[in-house]
């Protein structure tokens, strides 16, 4: 059997660990041949396929990013996209795909599988918003990076007695904001799942200054005020119809400064959360996902995604995993309210 490996969507730490795991087990235990698809779904549209073997994956475990490249390409938005994908797979005698990606990449995989393309999905995203799995790889690393940044910002906030607003990624899910905010001791945490009251935020900020303490506000890029709409710097859309989120942090800092009379500054962590060396947990999880994904290929169990449930790796239907995004449960957010303000 010849298996293609593809990494799509935004990059994140741990992608290379999956690639390594899939190839090592596939070659050593099943005698499979492998090819790598360059730049996500774009590679199947452009016939950009490269050989992939054990020497090619040596030394990549601790590396961030992906040796195959990635893109936010939707083949169904391109002329004859389905035919071009099938032609590329046929030209290279690819029998099945291992697709490593988040909700958009796996959404395309779900549609392709429904149209007869055999494949297995692996959940990747720093946002942790793929349904059916407790965690996606990349999330743990992103939370660690954001937490370290918050730790560092506490000291400079206290030195100048100013509010520091930290904007983190996550799109329309608040997992990074909630985890990093709690771990970093933030005084206000704003997530997309709960529209925020600006007056309440300012009151929480004031209460910190009253006890001679400089507040830290963590806001997810997709958070929105109760009265108003999402704050965006850029209205352009990608091929999946998504806007480029960012801007809420700067807007919020201006509002806090104007309403409280205290200086507020913004730190937008942005893509630093995606880059660099994956954490030990993400290397471990990504490696396990790869082992179980290629096992599913061996079993001919296509149209599934490998998922973490407790400590077990299970297989769930791709259609179930991509039906809707996984968001923060309000009861989980409520657990931490004692720390706000």
């Amino acid at each position: 059997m010849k298996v293609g490996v593809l990494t799509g969507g935004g990059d994140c730490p741990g992608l290379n660990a999956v690639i390594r795991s899939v190839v090592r087990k596939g070659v050593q235990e099943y005698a499979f041949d492998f090819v790598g698809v360059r730049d996500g779904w774009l590679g199947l549209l452009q016939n950009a396929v490269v050989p992939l073997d054990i020497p090619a994956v040596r030394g990549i475990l601790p590396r961030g990013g992906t040796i195959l490249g990635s893109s936010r390409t939707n083949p169904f938005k391109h002329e004859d996209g389905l035919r071009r994908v099938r032609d590329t797979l046929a030209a290279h005698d690819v029998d099945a795909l291992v697709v490593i990606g988040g909700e958009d990449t796996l959404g395309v995989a779900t549609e392709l599988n429904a149209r007869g393309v055999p494949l297995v999905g692996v959940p990747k995203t720093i946002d942790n918003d793929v349904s059916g799995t407790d965690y996606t790889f990349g999330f743990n690393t992103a939370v660690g990076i954001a937490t370290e940044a918050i730790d560092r910002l506490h000291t400079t906030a206290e030195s100048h007695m100013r509010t520091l607003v930290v904007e983190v990624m996550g799109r329309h899910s608040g997992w990074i904001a909630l985890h990093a905010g709690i771990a970093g001791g933030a005084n206000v945490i704003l997530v997309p799942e709960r529209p925020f009251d600006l007056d309440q935020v300012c009151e929480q900020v004031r209460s910190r200054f009253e006890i001679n303490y400089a507040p830290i506000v963590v806001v997810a890029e997709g958070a929105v005020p109760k009265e108003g709409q999402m704050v965006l710097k850029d209205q352009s859309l990608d091929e999946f119809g998504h806007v480029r989120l960012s801007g809420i942090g700067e807007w919020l800092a201006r509002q806090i400064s104007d309403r409280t009379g205290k200086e507020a500054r913004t730190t937008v962590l942005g893509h630093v959360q995606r880059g660099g060396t994956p954490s030990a947990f993400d290397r471990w999880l990504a490696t396990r996902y790869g082992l179980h994904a290629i096992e599913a290929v061996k079993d001919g169990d296509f149209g599934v995604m490998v998922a973490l449930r407790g400590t077990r790796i299970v297989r769930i239907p791709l259609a179930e995993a991509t039906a809707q995004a996984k968001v923060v449960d309000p009861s989980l957010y409520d657990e931490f309210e004692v720390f706000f303000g």
Side-chain angles (χ1 to χ4, degrees), residues 16-17 59-64 276-278 283:
N16 287 323
I60 68 172
L61 175 64
R63 287 173 54 183
T277 299
R283 298 185 203 190

Side-chain angles (χ1 to χ4, degrees), residues 223-244:
V224 293
K226 283 184 177 178
E227 296 182 0
Q229 59 185 11
M230 187 174 295
V231 179
L232 300 170
K233 279 185 174 180
D234 186 346
Q235 299 287 339
S236 62
L237 304 178
D238 65 18
E239 292 189 7
F240 293 94
H242 299 309
V243 294
R244 297 179 181 178

Side-chain angles (χ1 to χ4, degrees), residues 180-250:
I182 292 301
N187 313 114
V188 180
I189 301 173
L190 307 176
V191 298
E193 292 85 349
R194 179 165 296 185
F196 62 88
D197 184 326
L198 187 56
D199 290 334
Q200 182 183 35
V201 170
C202 290
E203 184 55 38
Q204 291 171 328
V205 166
R206 287 191 195 97
S207 71
R208 284 288 151 173
F209 281 119
E210 288 173 0
I211 59 173
N212 201 35
Y213 190 85
I216 299 288
V217 178
V218 173
V219 57
E221 61 185 357
V224 293
K226 283 184 177 178
E227 296 182 0
Q229 59 185 11
M230 187 174 295
V231 179
L232 300 170
K233 279 185 174 180
D234 186 346
Q235 299 287 339
S236 62
L237 304 178
D238 65 18
E239 292 189 7
F240 293 94
H242 299 309
V243 294
R244 297 179 181 178
L245 297 178
S246 189
I248 185 64
E250 292 183 8

Side-chain angles (χ1 to χ4, degrees), residues 235-314:
Q235 299 287 339
S236 62
L237 304 178
D238 65 18
E239 292 189 7
F240 293 94
H242 299 309
V243 294
R244 297 179 181 178
L245 297 178
S246 189
I248 185 64
E250 292 183 8
W251 178 86
L252 185 60
R254 288 196 302 271
Q255 294 294 321
I256 290 173
S257 182
D258 291 344
R259 291 174 180 238
T260 66
K262 297 286 189 178
E263 185 181 14
R265 297 287 184 89
T266 309
T267 298
V268 180
L269 295 184
H271 288 79
V272 71
Q273 295 159 96
R274 293 191 179 281
T277 299
S279 67
F281 179 83
D282 277 338
R283 298 185 203 190
W284 176 87
L285 180 59
T287 297
R288 291 191 72 198
Y289 277 155
L291 296 175
H292 285 261
I294 198 62
E295 188 175 278
V297 171
K298 173 65 166 57
D299 293 342
D301 191 6
F302 300 117
V304 301
M305 182 190 82
V306 292
L308 180 68
R309 297 278 180 87
T311 59
R312 297 176 57 242
I313 304 294
V314 300

